[in-house]
Structure formats: structure tokens, C-alpha cells
Amino acid sequence: MSHPSAGAALPSPVSARLSVGFAWVGHSLMHIVSALFLTIVLALETEWKLSYDELIRLWTLGAFMIGLGAPLAGWLGDRWSSAGMIAVFYLMTGGGAVLAGLSDGPEMLMWSLALLGLGASIYHPVGMAWMMANAENRGKAMGWLGLFGTFGVATAAVVAGSLTQWLNWRMAFIIPGVLCLVLGIALALLMMTGIVQDRHADVKPQPKPSRGDVVRAFFVLSLTMVCAGLIFNAMQIVLPKLFEARLGGWLGSGTLGVGGLVTAVYLISALPQMIGGVLADRHSLKRVYMLCLLAQIPLMAAVAVLAELPLVAAAAFVVIASQTQIPAENMLLARYTPDKHRGLAFGAKYILSFGAGPLAVQLVAWIYERTGEFTMLYLTLSALAALAFAAALLLPDDRRKAEMVAEPLPAAE
């Protein structure tokens, strides 16, 4: 694939718009395709006459690859080609899904899922950096990116379940896989014809931070992102059990009511990411980030003690606050990372988030084992939010610097 030389003309507005569009759609597909197996496995229990625990273990390597591949993918996006790596993401993820659908036994399925996972690992570090470079209004574009991701998370089980029921489990892998392959080929052709080009400078340049600000932001964001990762993962792990424990009679005895309410709480968080993106475009990133962290301190404490409808409201507001902060967090990371290392920075963020997952599982298990309920867990999460807020106070003042280097160019939607 060709990419422009250092002296080539800047990519066109068409290239920028197509790049942002491929990034948005890719975020949905990454979440859909990487979660297909979690529902398809239910059909394989019957067809392959294997137990659930034997089958679900086939996803271990694929899940591991999603985290392991992220920093390397980000580094390759920085050093080689962001657009080229997104084409590889589509092709590799799609290829893995199609091969999974053609699998004749557990071993082939395991290696196919590993290929799918490695392909999926490319998206977050490269896709976010690629979109950042091509977006005019970064906050708004990050909000849309979050919306597409939430859509993917929310619909993955529905896509896999409906295709399996209407057709069969193989087509539930193959149809989304073929869609990814088609998009990967289309992006590769657009690159070869020069319609989509790599961007070696941002559409909307930003003031260069001082070395001191970069170092300070690195340490602060490392701490706040670990705290945010623990909070998000612990909340996601424990919410079904929390609702079952404190709303059991209200939701009925089955899992449908609990599952439906958890899904509703997370779907509600899609719109706040859009709001968070608009706020991040119009106001100080530091201020938006700090206010979202501050709001989570009393909300987590409220979840610790509430029950019934007030609990659902408090849990929804916690998720809303945590999702509203995401565009500001990503834009802060981009602002204090040199352009040439941005993919690697997003890869490092993804590793921090990935690493927080197992820690959150152990935290939830340890507290529940000792107390038998979740009051102490949510008080701990409230303390983590307070720690992240205190750290965020130390971030450089981005509003003042941005105003000193105001853009003379007209804004475009």
C-alpha cells in the first residue's frame, strides 16, 4: 500500500471524512465480532457435545491477544501507516471470523479466534489515533466514536443470537466476517488509488506542550486511567449480582429482568459520550475530566447503601459520569503525546485498561468473600474516584494554553 512521502500534499477533506467514517464503523464491528463467540458457544454445546467450560476456554488465547497486540499495533500505526493498519484490522478480524465459521473442531476454532483477537487488538490504539488526526472537532468525533462502540457492545449478543437461530452458528461467524473483509478491501483500494491518505499532521493543529507538562500529564493520566479502569471493570462485573441482590423481588426470579436492566443502564451511557465530546470541544479538558471524576465520589457512595429504584438511578448516573469523561480523557492523552507516538500511547492506555480487568475481578471476589455484599466495594470505588480526582487537579491547565494559541481558521462541523 502506498502512503505519501513527507513532502506530499496534505490529504484532502474527502480523505479525512472517509478516515473518520472507517474509524467509527470499525469501532462497532470490533466490539461485535470479538464478542460473537460468547453467544455462539451456546449452540456449540449441543452440536459438538462439549461442556460450556471446555468450549469457553477456546476464547482464552483470543482474549489474551486483544490486550497483548495493542502496543505493537500502536507502534506499527505510528511507524508505518495508521490507515494501512486499520485495513489490516478489518482483513485480519474478518479472516479470523470466517475461519472460525469454517472450523471443523475445537483446535481450528481456537486458532481462528486467536487470529480474530490479534486483528481486534489493532483497533483501539490505531483507530483512535487515526481518527484524532483526521477529526476537525475532536470532542464531537470522539463522542460519535463512543456511540458506535456502545452500539457494538449492546448489539453483539443480538447479532450472534439471531444469526445462529435464523441460519446457523457458522453463518453467525461468517456474515460479520465477510462484512469486515469487504470493508478492509475497500479501504486498501481507497489507499492504493490515493483517495484515502495517511495524515502526518493533525487536521486541527494543537499547541505543543512543554516537556514538563508532558511528563506531569503522563504520571497523572497513568494513575487516573488505572483508577478509572478499576471503577469501570468492577462496576461491569458486579452490577448484575448487585441488581439481583437488591432488586430480586422487583425483577422476578429469572435472569432476563436483571440482564435487561443492566443492558438498559449501559445503553443510557451512549448519549452522555456525545455530550462529553461536545463539552470537551467547548471547555477545558482538565475541567470536564475533573468534574466527571468528582461526580462519581458521592454517586459511588450512594450505590453502596441504596436499594430498589434509587439504586438503579444512582448506578445509571455513575455510568453516565464515567462515560462522559472518556472523550476528555482521550483528548488529554492525545494533547500530551507527540503526534509520532500517539498510537503507542493509546496502546499503553489499552494495556492499563486491560490490566485493570483481572485486578477488578480479584477486588470484587476478595470483598464479597469477606463481607457477603457490596457496600464496602462501592465505598472503595468511591475512594478510588476521590484519588483520581485529586490526581487530576495536578494536570496542566490546558484551557489557558489553548486560548494563547487560538486558531485563526474558521471552524467546520
Side-chain angles (χ1 to χ4, degrees):
M1 288 174 199
S2 61
H3 44 25
S5 65
L10 282 174
S12 68
V14 172
S15 173
R17 282 194 292 269
L18 283 169
S19 298
V20 171
F22 271 100
W24 286 347
V25 173
H27 200 194
S28 283
L29 285 171
M30 180 267 166
H31 283 292
I32 290 171
V33 174
S34 59
L36 290 172
F37 180 64
L38 306 181
T39 299
I40 291 171
V41 66
L42 304 177
L44 286 174
E45 284 184 87
T46 306
E47 184 157 332
W48 284 3
K49 305 292 190 291
L50 293 171
S51 66
Y52 176 80
D53 59 290
E54 286 177 293
L55 286 165
I56 203 67
R57 282 194 182 100
L58 300 177
W59 176 232
T60 304
L61 184 56
F64 183 66
M65 296 306 289
I66 290 178
L68 187 68
L72 176 61
W75 182 81
L76 284 169
D78 290 334
R79 298 299 289 268
W80 172 55
S81 161
S82 294
M85 284 301 291
I86 292 298
V88 172
F89 149 74
Y90 277 118
L91 294 170
M92 191 179 290
T93 309
V98 169
L99 287 172
L102 298 174
S103 296
D104 56 6
E107 187 175 357
M108 181 177 172
L109 181 57
M110 182 190 74
W111 289 110
S112 300
L113 291 172
L115 179 65
L116 187 158
L118 184 60
S121 77
I122 296 169
Y123 182 77
H124 281 99
V126 181
M128 287 186 175
W130 188 45
M131 198 212 68
M132 281 277 191
N134 283 283
E136 174 75 27
N137 294 322
R138 286 180 168 179
K140 187 176 179 182
M142 283 301 305
W144 276 102
L145 189 76
L147 189 68
F148 274 85
T150 302
F151 174 81
V153 171
T155 60
V158 175
V159 169
S162 57
L163 287 173
T164 300
Q165 189 167 323
W166 296 337
L167 301 170
N168 55 59
W169 72 265
R170 294 185 184 279
M171 296 310 291
F173 272 127
I174 291 170
I175 290 173
V178 168
L179 177 59
C180 287
L181 288 172
V182 167
L183 287 168
I185 292 166
L187 180 54
L189 290 172
L190 287 168
M191 289 185 69
M192 284 189 241
T193 53
I195 296 171
V196 169
Q197 295 174 290
D198 259 312
R199 183 172 289 279
H200 301 288
D202 294 346
V203 164
K204 191 173 185 180
Q206 58 186 12
K208 297 295 180 190
S210 68
R211 183 172 177 79
D213 282 355
V214 169
V215 171
R216 182 153 47 128
F218 169 79
F219 285 110
V220 170
L221 288 172
S222 294
L223 178 58
T224 59
M225 288 189 300
V226 168
C227 290
L230 280 168
I231 290 168
F232 176 82
N233 281 285
M235 186 85 175
Q236 191 173 40
I237 291 161
V238 87
L239 207 53
K241 183 67 177 173
L242 181 75
F243 282 170
E244 182 193 55
R246 297 192 192 172
L247 302 170
W250 187 57
L251 292 172
S253 58
T255 57
L256 181 60
V258 170
L261 190 55
V262 171
T263 298
V265 165
Y266 279 97
L267 279 177
I268 286 167
S269 73
L271 186 59
Q273 283 202 55
M274 296 292 299
I275 296 167
V278 172
L279 290 173
D281 271 336
R282 296 183 180 178
H283 302 284
S284 159
L285 296 176
K286 176 182 176 179
R287 193 174 301 164
V288 172
Y289 193 47
M290 284 170 45
L291 286 173
C292 290
L293 290 168
L294 180 63
Q296 290 172 65
I297 301 170
L299 287 170
M300 286 291 185
V303 172
V305 296
L306 292 174
E308 299 188 343
L309 278 176
L311 168 67
V312 178
F317 280 118
V318 166
V319 174
I320 285 169
S322 69
Q323 295 301 296
T324 304
Q325 83 188 27
I326 289 174
E329 182 176 85
N330 286 328
M331 289 170 71
L332 281 165
L333 188 61
R335 172 162 289 175
Y336 295 109
T337 304
D339 299 353
K340 61 184 179 181
H341 298 309
R342 198 174 285 156
L344 187 59
F346 278 108
K349 176 193 170 170
Y350 200 56
I351 281 288
L352 287 176
S353 302
F354 181 74
L359 283 176
V361 172
Q362 294 303 314
L363 178 66
V364 168
W366 185 79
I367 290 177
Y368 191 75
E369 183 184 5
R370 278 155 183 77
T371 66
E373 45 95 49
F374 300 113
T375 302
M376 187 54 64
L377 173 71
Y378 275 93
L379 292 176
T380 303
L381 298 181
S382 179
L384 281 171
L387 175 61
F389 171 74
L393 290 169
L394 302 174
L395 283 167
D397 184 359
D398 63 286
R399 178 70 179 267
R400 183 173 53 81
K401 291 181 177 64
E403 286 170 351
M404 287 168 60
V405 195
E407 287 287 334
L409 299 174
E413 287 297 316

